Amino acid sequence: MKQVLTIITMISCIYTQSVLSQETKIVEDFKPSSVNQPERKFPQVNSQGRVRASISAPNANKVQLDIGGVKYDMIKDANGIWSGESNPQDEGFHYYQLNIDGASVPDPGTLYFYGAGRLGSGIEIPSKDQDFFALKDVPHGLVSENIYFSKLTNSFRRCFIYTPPDYNENIKTHYPVLYLQHGSFEDETGWPSQGKANLILDNLIAAKEATPMIIVMDNGYAYKPQNNQGNKKEQPASVFEEVLIAEVIPMIDAKFRTITNREHRAIAGLSMGANQTMRIMMNHLETFSQYGGFSGTSNYPSTDVIDASVFLDGKYKDGDALNKKIKLFWLGLGTKEPSPFPKSIGAFRAMLDQQKIKYVYYESPETAHEWLTWRRCLYQFASKLFR
Amino acid sequence: MKQVLTIITMISCIYTQSVLSQETKIVEDFKPSSVNQPERKFPQVNSQGRVRASISAPNANKVQLDIGGVKYDMIKDANGIWSGESNPQDEGFHYYQLNIDGASVPDPGTLYFYGAGRLGSGIEIPSKDQDFFALKDVPHGLVSENIYFSKLTNSFRRCFIYTPPDYNENIKTHYPVLYLQHGSFEDETGWPSQGKANLILDNLIAAKEATPMIIVMDNGYAYKPQNNQGNKKEQPASVFEEVLIAEVIPMIDAKFRTITNREHRAIAGLSMGANQTMRIMMNHLETFSQYGGFSGTSNYPSTDVIDASVFLDGKYKDGDALNKKIKLFWLGLGTKEPSPFPKSIGAFRAMLDQQKIKYVYYESPETAHEWLTWRRCLYQFASKLFR
């Protein structure tokens, strides 16, 4: 008996050590991140998805790599260069920063991305399916920056417009339009930058897996002007829905060769944008026929059972009518998303099921509330739009 | 006599004190810089053109504001916030960074701009004439990002294209094109971002002071692929001229409604871009009829007398023929530019004078080798183009 126990203990120890060494051993196959500035060697990523950062800070006391909510201590060499590695990260795109003696700053090695309420560093952990958003030698559409003055907000605003590769050659063709929104603490640069919306569509269109379409990416934060100046404690009233319906869509229809009916207009968004655009869709079925909600629904953050007779003023009450009116109702979620997203979206789906409302549901494998989930959602969703 | 001396000494002392206090006294009218990230209060600029930076770095030993080649020590308060001011800076746009215990990093408060070989912080010192590049409620053109694969460099490249406000409405109109290049250690984002090329043209066109035109802004760094891989000590061969002539211009003429003759094509650049585009202009008078050189000429960095019979293979030998062929030859320089720009451009102008070649010469008051010089140059130059 004692011998058996000893053997079991030994096997157990060997097993534990093996798992531990797999977890802790750093594989030395680091390569510069694909979103570094030109010629910059750091940050790097290895095959385990670890991030290695490096910065010269000869007189610093403490330097940390701050990624995924964890701060990893870096170590100084004889030349004053600090280096350090994170634990393995999920595949896809992540925001991060360096912390130098308490100062949270962008890594000077990377390109910068607007998210988490700041323009800062980002890193790309190569994903197995990265081909669908890769820059390839296929015809490329344009991404155009459009500045406009909004009377509703009394301010200058900006949207980006993707036009498909053949837009500037087929000068008599008119195109359907997808209005595509970012999440909270992000802005109109999210989709054309880290979201890779243009490359995803270029690749889909080249493979004839999507209908050529225009995509409009605006800023989801829009407030009435009086609330910008008055009592600062007052919650400003969002007028994004009004800006989109009364200002953006007419502007896009005037400036671009769009097909100006509901059958050829879709609206989608991620997280906060999914919540916003779902409300806009349901309030304006005369304007849109197709909807995509990526990692978000309008009951957020509630996970309670939804009563269709009162939710969103009863907009989901008549399932039959909606099934006739809505051409595509599409929902997506990452399998690693944190609470309350799975349960909140689950509650929404249960309501749809109860109302017998048809919808498509997609799960992004092994991704959380991050951009690889949303890139995959756009890829899946866009291939079903305007078909 | 002694009394007179005493009085002179006193006056002198009072005068010196007065001048000193003017120089050293910091006027407390700082305002957030116009190129800060949304909601960011720092960095700030005051009416003297001083920059005040501020960053939380509770455990740092030394923090400095690094601008205009000078590092200014910042001071820590009880909450660990470091603050400090620079001396007055010239009006216009400047690159800068913070230095935290030896680490040179972007200021987390600003937008980021590519220049000086890195994507980093920038600041705007309000200029008296800033109205000409201000964002105003006038019709705005689009700035479109265009990705293309270059066979000559065997790489993906990118250019930005400004189309004037009426381009998407007047769908039968064809437009003249200006090819506009950045300087050394900058890229294709320079003109549409800190250069404000789109706003300058929007304002000029709204005031009917410029002919509506397309502007193409490409990357001036382009190398043969073999030189990217081979012996690293080998100087790579630039093929920018070939890329522009053989790849970019045909692509632009195919994708956009251009007028495809030399009379409606101009080329201009700043600093390194002025040098490059002058050579391209003189090698391709069949392609371009109008030229703008901002803070640069092809004899750079030489200040020697130019012999027109040999300079650029004798391209300036026949002044009469050039005066007939070239519709506009335009040169600009800031009055505070450092050596060798004034003398080098002076030597070039002396050659033009000797050859009796007609040209326009503009001096930007009180600006150095920086973006306010080049914004003013574009403003002046564009108002004379295609007229």
Side-chain angles (χ1 to χ4, degrees), chain A residues 39, chain B residues 149-157 221-240 243:
Chain A
E39 315 290 324
Chain B
F149 183 79
S150 161
K151 287 184 183 166
L152 287 165
T153 64
N154 194 33
S155 66
F156 288 101
R157 293 173 53 83
Y221 294 101
Y223 301 104
K224 276 194 186 175
Q226 58 265 38
N227 288 308
N228 290 341
Q229 296 153 357
N231 184 346
K232 292 231 167 175
K233 283 177 188 167
E234 197 182 309
Q235 180 74 15
S238 172
V239 289
F240 176 63
V243 167

PDB file of all heavy atoms in Angstrom, chain A residues 39, chain B residues 149-157 221-240 243:
ATOM      1  N   GLU A  39       9.833  49.542 -38.421  1.00  0.00           N
ATOM      2  CA  GLU A  39      11.205  49.267 -37.956  1.00  0.00           C
ATOM      3  C   GLU A  39      11.308  48.993 -36.451  1.00  0.00           C
ATOM      4  O   GLU A  39      12.405  48.726 -35.955  1.00  0.00           O
ATOM      5  CB  GLU A  39      12.177  50.432 -38.280  1.00  0.00           C
ATOM      6  CG  GLU A  39      12.060  51.003 -39.683  1.00  0.00           C
ATOM      7  CD  GLU A  39      12.570  50.050 -40.745  1.00  0.00           C
ATOM      8  OE1 GLU A  39      13.553  49.345 -40.473  1.00  0.00           O
ATOM      9  OE2 GLU A  39      11.949  49.990 -41.821  1.00  0.00           O
TER      10      GLU A  39
ATOM     11  N   PHE B 149      -0.953  47.428 -53.880  1.00  0.00           N
ATOM     12  CA  PHE B 149       0.242  46.595 -53.910  1.00  0.00           C
ATOM     13  C   PHE B 149       1.149  47.125 -55.004  1.00  0.00           C
ATOM     14  O   PHE B 149       0.745  47.280 -56.147  1.00  0.00           O
ATOM     15  CB  PHE B 149      -0.111  45.126 -54.178  1.00  0.00           C
ATOM     16  CG  PHE B 149       1.100  44.243 -54.129  1.00  0.00           C
ATOM     17  CD1 PHE B 149       1.619  43.842 -52.906  1.00  0.00           C
ATOM     18  CD2 PHE B 149       1.752  43.849 -55.301  1.00  0.00           C
ATOM     19  CE1 PHE B 149       2.759  43.052 -52.851  1.00  0.00           C
ATOM     20  CE2 PHE B 149       2.891  43.064 -55.244  1.00  0.00           C
ATOM     21  CZ  PHE B 149       3.404  42.663 -54.018  1.00  0.00           C
ATOM     22  N   SER B 150       2.401  47.422 -54.630  1.00  0.00           N
ATOM     23  CA  SER B 150       3.380  47.935 -55.582  1.00  0.00           C
ATOM     24  C   SER B 150       4.258  46.793 -56.068  1.00  0.00           C
ATOM     25  O   SER B 150       4.947  46.149 -55.277  1.00  0.00           O
ATOM     26  CB  SER B 150       4.237  49.012 -54.911  1.00  0.00           C
ATOM     27  OG  SER B 150       5.437  49.195 -55.646  1.00  0.00           O
ATOM     28  N   LYS B 151       4.248  46.550 -57.378  1.00  0.00           N
ATOM     29  CA  LYS B 151       5.146  45.518 -57.927  1.00  0.00           C
ATOM     30  C   LYS B 151       6.591  45.986 -57.845  1.00  0.00           C
ATOM     31  O   LYS B 151       7.510  45.184 -57.653  1.00  0.00           O
ATOM     32  CB  LYS B 151       4.767  45.220 -59.380  1.00  0.00           C
ATOM     33  CG  LYS B 151       3.477  44.415 -59.497  1.00  0.00           C
ATOM     34  CD  LYS B 151       3.160  44.045 -60.936  1.00  0.00           C
ATOM     35  CE  LYS B 151       1.832  43.298 -60.997  1.00  0.00           C
ATOM     36  NZ  LYS B 151       1.300  43.199 -62.364  1.00  0.00           N
ATOM     37  N   LEU B 152       6.815  47.284 -57.981  1.00  0.00           N
ATOM     38  CA  LEU B 152       8.190  47.802 -57.986  1.00  0.00           C
ATOM     39  C   LEU B 152       8.878  47.613 -56.635  1.00  0.00           C
ATOM     40  O   LEU B 152      10.080  47.401 -56.576  1.00  0.00           O
ATOM     41  CB  LEU B 152       8.195  49.284 -58.375  1.00  0.00           C
ATOM     42  CG  LEU B 152       7.922  49.560 -59.855  1.00  0.00           C
ATOM     43  CD1 LEU B 152       7.572  51.017 -60.080  1.00  0.00           C
ATOM     44  CD2 LEU B 152       9.159  49.188 -60.685  1.00  0.00           C
ATOM     45  N   THR B 153       8.132  47.707 -55.550  1.00  0.00           N
ATOM     46  CA  THR B 153       8.734  47.521 -54.221  1.00  0.00           C
ATOM     47  C   THR B 153       8.384  46.147 -53.647  1.00  0.00           C
ATOM     48  O   THR B 153       8.902  45.774 -52.598  1.00  0.00           O
ATOM     49  CB  THR B 153       8.235  48.593 -53.227  1.00  0.00           C
ATOM     50  OG1 THR B 153       6.822  48.433 -53.049  1.00  0.00           O
ATOM     51  CG2 THR B 153       8.534  50.000 -53.730  1.00  0.00           C
ATOM     52  N   ASN B 154       7.499  45.425 -54.326  1.00  0.00           N
ATOM     53  CA  ASN B 154       6.994  44.130 -53.832  1.00  0.00           C
ATOM     54  C   ASN B 154       6.430  44.258 -52.410  1.00  0.00           C
ATOM     55  O   ASN B 154       6.708  43.450 -51.521  1.00  0.00           O
ATOM     56  CB  ASN B 154       8.104  43.069 -53.872  1.00  0.00           C
ATOM     57  CG  ASN B 154       7.551  41.655 -53.691  1.00  0.00           C
ATOM     58  OD1 ASN B 154       6.435  41.365 -54.128  1.00  0.00           O
ATOM     59  ND2 ASN B 154       8.298  40.789 -53.028  1.00  0.00           N
ATOM     60  N   SER B 155       5.641  45.309 -52.219  1.00  0.00           N
ATOM     61  CA  SER B 155       5.070  45.537 -50.875  1.00  0.00           C
ATOM     62  C   SER B 155       3.758  46.292 -50.985  1.00  0.00           C
ATOM     63  O   SER B 155       3.485  46.920 -52.014  1.00  0.00           O
ATOM     64  CB  SER B 155       6.054  46.346 -50.013  1.00  0.00           C
ATOM     65  OG  SER B 155       6.205  47.650 -50.551  1.00  0.00           O
ATOM     66  N   PHE B 156       2.974  46.200 -49.925  1.00  0.00           N
ATOM     67  CA  PHE B 156       1.773  47.017 -49.848  1.00  0.00           C
ATOM     68  C   PHE B 156       2.175  48.439 -49.484  1.00  0.00           C
ATOM     69  O   PHE B 156       3.033  48.648 -48.623  1.00  0.00           O
ATOM     70  CB  PHE B 156       0.801  46.456 -48.809  1.00  0.00           C
ATOM     71  CG  PHE B 156       0.152  45.181 -49.256  1.00  0.00           C
ATOM     72  CD1 PHE B 156       0.600  43.955 -48.794  1.00  0.00           C
ATOM     73  CD2 PHE B 156      -0.895  45.214 -50.165  1.00  0.00           C
ATOM     74  CE1 PHE B 156       0.018  42.776 -49.224  1.00  0.00           C
ATOM     75  CE2 PHE B 156      -1.494  44.035 -50.605  1.00  0.00           C
ATOM     76  CZ  PHE B 156      -1.033  42.809 -50.135  1.00  0.00           C
ATOM     77  N   ARG B 157       1.559  49.379 -50.149  1.00  0.00           N
ATOM     78  CA  ARG B 157       1.796  50.787 -49.854  1.00  0.00           C
ATOM     79  C   ARG B 157       0.441  51.478 -49.668  1.00  0.00           C
ATOM     80  O   ARG B 157      -0.604  50.868 -49.870  1.00  0.00           O
ATOM     81  CB  ARG B 157       2.593  51.447 -50.988  1.00  0.00           C
ATOM     82  CG  ARG B 157       4.021  50.898 -51.091  1.00  0.00           C
ATOM     83  CD  ARG B 157       4.742  51.432 -52.320  1.00  0.00           C
ATOM     84  NE  ARG B 157       4.700  52.873 -52.401  1.00  0.00           N
ATOM     85  CZ  ARG B 157       5.524  53.714 -51.768  1.00  0.00           C
ATOM     86  NH1 ARG B 157       6.483  53.251 -50.987  1.00  0.00           N
ATOM     87  NH2 ARG B 157       5.400  55.023 -51.919  1.00  0.00           N
ATOM     88  N   TYR B 221       9.120  57.144 -49.223  1.00  0.00           N
ATOM     89  CA  TYR B 221      10.121  56.082 -49.056  1.00  0.00           C
ATOM     90  C   TYR B 221       9.664  54.867 -49.836  1.00  0.00           C
ATOM     91  O   TYR B 221       8.615  54.279 -49.532  1.00  0.00           O
ATOM     92  CB  TYR B 221      10.302  55.735 -47.577  1.00  0.00           C
ATOM     93  CG  TYR B 221      10.909  56.863 -46.770  1.00  0.00           C
ATOM     94  CD1 TYR B 221      10.117  57.685 -45.971  1.00  0.00           C
ATOM     95  CD2 TYR B 221      12.275  57.103 -46.821  1.00  0.00           C
ATOM     96  CE1 TYR B 221      10.679  58.729 -45.238  1.00  0.00           C
ATOM     97  CE2 TYR B 221      12.846  58.140 -46.091  1.00  0.00           C
ATOM     98  CZ  TYR B 221      12.040  58.951 -45.302  1.00  0.00           C
ATOM     99  OH  TYR B 221      12.602  59.977 -44.580  1.00  0.00           O
ATOM    100  N   ALA B 222      10.426  54.496 -50.859  1.00  0.00           N
ATOM    101  CA  ALA B 222      10.074  53.331 -51.694  1.00  0.00           C
ATOM    102  C   ALA B 222      11.382  52.753 -52.203  1.00  0.00           C
ATOM    103  O   ALA B 222      12.194  53.467 -52.818  1.00  0.00           O
ATOM    104  CB  ALA B 222       9.188  53.769 -52.854  1.00  0.00           C
ATOM    105  N   TYR B 223      11.600  51.473 -51.944  1.00  0.00           N
ATOM    106  CA  TYR B 223      12.884  50.851 -52.305  1.00  0.00           C
ATOM    107  C   TYR B 223      12.689  49.585 -53.104  1.00  0.00           C
ATOM    108  O   TYR B 223      11.691  48.879 -52.945  1.00  0.00           O
ATOM    109  CB  TYR B 223      13.686  50.542 -51.034  1.00  0.00           C
ATOM    110  CG  TYR B 223      13.952  51.769 -50.224  1.00  0.00           C
ATOM    111  CD1 TYR B 223      13.235  52.026 -49.053  1.00  0.00           C
ATOM    112  CD2 TYR B 223      14.886  52.708 -50.654  1.00  0.00           C
ATOM    113  CE1 TYR B 223      13.457  53.177 -48.319  1.00  0.00           C
ATOM    114  CE2 TYR B 223      15.112  53.866 -49.930  1.00  0.00           C
ATOM    115  CZ  TYR B 223      14.393  54.101 -48.760  1.00  0.00           C
ATOM    116  OH  TYR B 223      14.602  55.246 -48.047  1.00  0.00           O
ATOM    117  N   LYS B 224      13.682  49.300 -53.942  1.00  0.00           N
ATOM    118  CA  LYS B 224      13.706  48.023 -54.673  1.00  0.00           C
ATOM    119  C   LYS B 224      13.693  46.879 -53.676  1.00  0.00           C
ATOM    120  O   LYS B 224      14.422  46.919 -52.687  1.00  0.00           O
ATOM    121  CB  LYS B 224      14.987  47.917 -55.502  1.00  0.00           C
ATOM    122  CG  LYS B 224      14.910  48.590 -56.847  1.00  0.00           C
ATOM    123  CD  LYS B 224      16.080  48.131 -57.701  1.00  0.00           C
ATOM    124  CE  LYS B 224      16.111  48.904 -59.003  1.00  0.00           C
ATOM    125  NZ  LYS B 224      17.299  48.564 -59.801  1.00  0.00           N
ATOM    126  N   PRO B 225      12.930  45.805 -53.949  1.00  0.00           N
ATOM    127  CA  PRO B 225      12.817  44.737 -52.944  1.00  0.00           C
ATOM    128  C   PRO B 225      14.130  44.042 -52.619  1.00  0.00           C
ATOM    129  O   PRO B 225      14.378  43.719 -51.461  1.00  0.00           O
ATOM    130  CB  PRO B 225      11.809  43.760 -53.567  1.00  0.00           C
ATOM    131  CG  PRO B 225      11.672  44.160 -54.990  1.00  0.00           C
ATOM    132  CD  PRO B 225      12.015  45.593 -55.074  1.00  0.00           C
ATOM    133  N   GLN B 226      15.029  43.824 -53.595  1.00  0.00           N
ATOM    134  CA  GLN B 226      16.269  43.108 -53.293  1.00  0.00           C
ATOM    135  C   GLN B 226      17.095  43.836 -52.227  1.00  0.00           C
ATOM    136  O   GLN B 226      17.782  43.209 -51.430  1.00  0.00           O
ATOM    137  CB  GLN B 226      17.128  42.859 -54.550  1.00  0.00           C
ATOM    138  CG  GLN B 226      17.549  44.113 -55.321  1.00  0.00           C
ATOM    139  CD  GLN B 226      16.604  44.427 -56.461  1.00  0.00           C
ATOM    140  OE1 GLN B 226      15.395  44.256 -56.323  1.00  0.00           O
ATOM    141  NE2 GLN B 226      17.133  44.869 -57.587  1.00  0.00           N
ATOM    142  N   ASN B 227      16.986  45.147 -52.214  1.00  0.00           N
ATOM    143  CA  ASN B 227      17.767  45.913 -51.241  1.00  0.00           C
ATOM    144  C   ASN B 227      17.187  45.851 -49.836  1.00  0.00           C
ATOM    145  O   ASN B 227      17.845  46.192 -48.877  1.00  0.00           O
ATOM    146  CB  ASN B 227      17.869  47.360 -51.693  1.00  0.00           C
ATOM    147  CG  ASN B 227      18.795  47.502 -52.890  1.00  0.00           C
ATOM    148  OD1 ASN B 227      19.926  47.035 -52.862  1.00  0.00           O
ATOM    149  ND2 ASN B 227      18.286  48.091 -53.947  1.00  0.00           N
ATOM    150  N   ASN B 228      15.951  45.388 -49.757  1.00  0.00           N
ATOM    151  CA  ASN B 228      15.353  45.235 -48.422  1.00  0.00           C
ATOM    152  C   ASN B 228      15.865  43.976 -47.728  1.00  0.00           C
ATOM    153  O   ASN B 228      15.830  43.862 -46.524  1.00  0.00           O
ATOM    154  CB  ASN B 228      13.824  45.130 -48.540  1.00  0.00           C
ATOM    155  CG  ASN B 228      13.226  46.457 -48.947  1.00  0.00           C
ATOM    156  OD1 ASN B 228      13.861  47.491 -48.808  1.00  0.00           O
ATOM    157  ND2 ASN B 228      12.014  46.420 -49.457  1.00  0.00           N
ATOM    158  N   GLN B 229      16.297  42.991 -48.550  1.00  0.00           N
ATOM    159  CA  GLN B 229      16.660  41.695 -47.970  1.00  0.00           C
ATOM    160  C   GLN B 229      18.174  41.480 -47.903  1.00  0.00           C
ATOM    161  O   GLN B 229      18.661  40.793 -47.024  1.00  0.00           O
ATOM    162  CB  GLN B 229      16.032  40.570 -48.815  1.00  0.00           C
ATOM    163  CG  GLN B 229      14.514  40.611 -48.781  1.00  0.00           C
ATOM    164  CD  GLN B 229      13.889  40.018 -50.020  1.00  0.00           C
ATOM    165  OE1 GLN B 229      14.571  39.612 -50.949  1.00  0.00           O
ATOM    166  NE2 GLN B 229      12.564  39.952 -50.037  1.00  0.00           N
ATOM    167  N   GLY B 230      18.921  42.041 -48.837  1.00  0.00           N
ATOM    168  CA  GLY B 230      20.354  41.733 -48.983  1.00  0.00           C
ATOM    169  C   GLY B 230      21.215  42.298 -47.860  1.00  0.00           C
ATOM    170  O   GLY B 230      20.773  42.429 -46.722  1.00  0.00           O
ATOM    171  N   ASN B 231      22.442  42.615 -48.212  1.00  0.00           N
ATOM    172  CA  ASN B 231      23.415  43.172 -47.264  1.00  0.00           C
ATOM    173  C   ASN B 231      22.844  44.451 -46.639  1.00  0.00           C
ATOM    174  O   ASN B 231      22.534  45.410 -47.346  1.00  0.00           O
ATOM    175  CB  ASN B 231      24.713  43.474 -48.035  1.00  0.00           C
ATOM    176  CG  ASN B 231      25.805  43.971 -47.109  1.00  0.00           C
ATOM    177  OD1 ASN B 231      25.550  44.339 -45.967  1.00  0.00           O
ATOM    178  ND2 ASN B 231      27.024  43.966 -47.605  1.00  0.00           N
ATOM    179  N   LYS B 232      22.724  44.449 -45.340  1.00  0.00           N
ATOM    180  CA  LYS B 232      22.060  45.571 -44.663  1.00  0.00           C
ATOM    181  C   LYS B 232      22.865  46.875 -44.763  1.00  0.00           C
ATOM    182  O   LYS B 232      22.321  47.949 -44.578  1.00  0.00           O
ATOM    183  CB  LYS B 232      21.801  45.221 -43.194  1.00  0.00           C
ATOM    184  CG  LYS B 232      20.765  44.127 -43.037  1.00  0.00           C
ATOM    185  CD  LYS B 232      19.680  44.519 -42.060  1.00  0.00           C
ATOM    186  CE  LYS B 232      18.523  43.557 -42.174  1.00  0.00           C
ATOM    187  NZ  LYS B 232      17.481  43.779 -41.194  1.00  0.00           N
ATOM    188  N   LYS B 233      24.172  46.753 -45.028  1.00  0.00           N
ATOM    189  CA  LYS B 233      24.999  47.960 -45.112  1.00  0.00           C
ATOM    190  C   LYS B 233      24.836  48.666 -46.452  1.00  0.00           C
ATOM    191  O   LYS B 233      25.209  49.813 -46.619  1.00  0.00           O
ATOM    192  CB  LYS B 233      26.472  47.600 -44.873  1.00  0.00           C
ATOM    193  CG  LYS B 233      26.775  47.364 -43.395  1.00  0.00           C
ATOM    194  CD  LYS B 233      28.205  46.944 -43.182  1.00  0.00           C
ATOM    195  CE  LYS B 233      28.423  46.540 -41.731  1.00  0.00           C
ATOM    196  NZ  LYS B 233      29.696  45.832 -41.530  1.00  0.00           N
ATOM    197  N   GLU B 234      24.297  47.931 -47.433  1.00  0.00           N
ATOM    198  CA  GLU B 234      24.098  48.497 -48.765  1.00  0.00           C
ATOM    199  C   GLU B 234      23.019  49.579 -48.714  1.00  0.00           C
ATOM    200  O   GLU B 234      21.968  49.383 -48.116  1.00  0.00           O
ATOM    201  CB  GLU B 234      23.643  47.354 -49.679  1.00  0.00           C
ATOM    202  CG  GLU B 234      23.767  47.620 -51.169  1.00  0.00           C
ATOM    203  CD  GLU B 234      23.232  46.412 -51.940  1.00  0.00           C
ATOM    204  OE1 GLU B 234      23.676  45.281 -51.621  1.00  0.00           O
ATOM    205  OE2 GLU B 234      22.373  46.605 -52.795  1.00  0.00           O
ATOM    206  N   GLN B 235      23.282  50.710 -49.355  1.00  0.00           N
ATOM    207  CA  GLN B 235      22.289  51.786 -49.412  1.00  0.00           C
ATOM    208  C   GLN B 235      21.144  51.335 -50.315  1.00  0.00           C
ATOM    209  O   GLN B 235      21.380  51.005 -51.478  1.00  0.00           O
ATOM    210  CB  GLN B 235      22.957  53.052 -49.965  1.00  0.00           C
ATOM    211  CG  GLN B 235      22.051  54.257 -50.092  1.00  0.00           C
ATOM    212  CD  GLN B 235      21.727  54.893 -48.745  1.00  0.00           C
ATOM    213  OE1 GLN B 235      22.384  54.606 -47.745  1.00  0.00           O
ATOM    214  NE2 GLN B 235      20.719  55.739 -48.709  1.00  0.00           N
ATOM    215  N   PRO B 236      19.914  51.256 -49.823  1.00  0.00           N
ATOM    216  CA  PRO B 236      18.825  50.799 -50.694  1.00  0.00           C
ATOM    217  C   PRO B 236      18.556  51.820 -51.794  1.00  0.00           C
ATOM    218  O   PRO B 236      18.692  53.027 -51.572  1.00  0.00           O
ATOM    219  CB  PRO B 236      17.637  50.669 -49.743  1.00  0.00           C
ATOM    220  CG  PRO B 236      17.958  51.518 -48.570  1.00  0.00           C
ATOM    221  CD  PRO B 236      19.443  51.642 -48.479  1.00  0.00           C
ATOM    222  N   ALA B 237      18.200  51.308 -52.981  1.00  0.00           N
ATOM    223  CA  ALA B 237      17.946  52.188 -54.129  1.00  0.00           C
ATOM    224  C   ALA B 237      16.508  52.666 -54.083  1.00  0.00           C
ATOM    225  O   ALA B 237      15.575  51.860 -54.103  1.00  0.00           O
ATOM    226  CB  ALA B 237      18.222  51.432 -55.419  1.00  0.00           C
ATOM    227  N   SER B 238      16.319  53.996 -54.016  1.00  0.00           N
ATOM    228  CA  SER B 238      14.964  54.546 -54.004  1.00  0.00           C
ATOM    229  C   SER B 238      14.333  54.388 -55.375  1.00  0.00           C
ATOM    230  O   SER B 238      14.956  54.660 -56.406  1.00  0.00           O
ATOM    231  CB  SER B 238      14.999  56.030 -53.628  1.00  0.00           C
ATOM    232  OG  SER B 238      13.707  56.583 -53.805  1.00  0.00           O
ATOM    233  N   VAL B 239      13.092  53.917 -55.383  1.00  0.00           N
ATOM    234  CA  VAL B 239      12.339  53.839 -56.642  1.00  0.00           C
ATOM    235  C   VAL B 239      11.053  54.656 -56.527  1.00  0.00           C
ATOM    236  O   VAL B 239      10.069  54.388 -57.208  1.00  0.00           O
ATOM    237  CB  VAL B 239      12.022  52.368 -57.038  1.00  0.00           C
ATOM    238  CG1 VAL B 239      13.275  51.644 -57.491  1.00  0.00           C
ATOM    239  CG2 VAL B 239      11.327  51.617 -55.904  1.00  0.00           C
ATOM    240  N   PHE B 240      11.070  55.683 -55.676  1.00  0.00           N
ATOM    241  CA  PHE B 240       9.853  56.472 -55.492  1.00  0.00           C
ATOM    242  C   PHE B 240       9.403  57.111 -56.807  1.00  0.00           C
ATOM    243  O   PHE B 240       8.212  57.120 -57.123  1.00  0.00           O
ATOM    244  CB  PHE B 240      10.028  57.537 -54.408  1.00  0.00           C
ATOM    245  CG  PHE B 240       8.824  58.419 -54.286  1.00  0.00           C
ATOM    246  CD1 PHE B 240       7.602  57.883 -53.905  1.00  0.00           C
ATOM    247  CD2 PHE B 240       8.881  59.769 -54.620  1.00  0.00           C
ATOM    248  CE1 PHE B 240       6.466  58.674 -53.839  1.00  0.00           C
ATOM    249  CE2 PHE B 240       7.754  60.563 -54.554  1.00  0.00           C
ATOM    250  CZ  PHE B 240       6.546  60.016 -54.167  1.00  0.00           C
ATOM    251  N   VAL B 243       7.737  54.453 -58.843  1.00  0.00           N
ATOM    252  CA  VAL B 243       6.444  54.089 -58.238  1.00  0.00           C
ATOM    253  C   VAL B 243       5.405  55.157 -58.569  1.00  0.00           C
ATOM    254  O   VAL B 243       4.281  54.856 -58.991  1.00  0.00           O
ATOM    255  CB  VAL B 243       6.582  53.895 -56.710  1.00  0.00           C
ATOM    256  CG1 VAL B 243       5.214  53.824 -56.035  1.00  0.00           C
ATOM    257  CG2 VAL B 243       7.388  52.633 -56.400  1.00  0.00           C
TER     258      VAL B 243
END
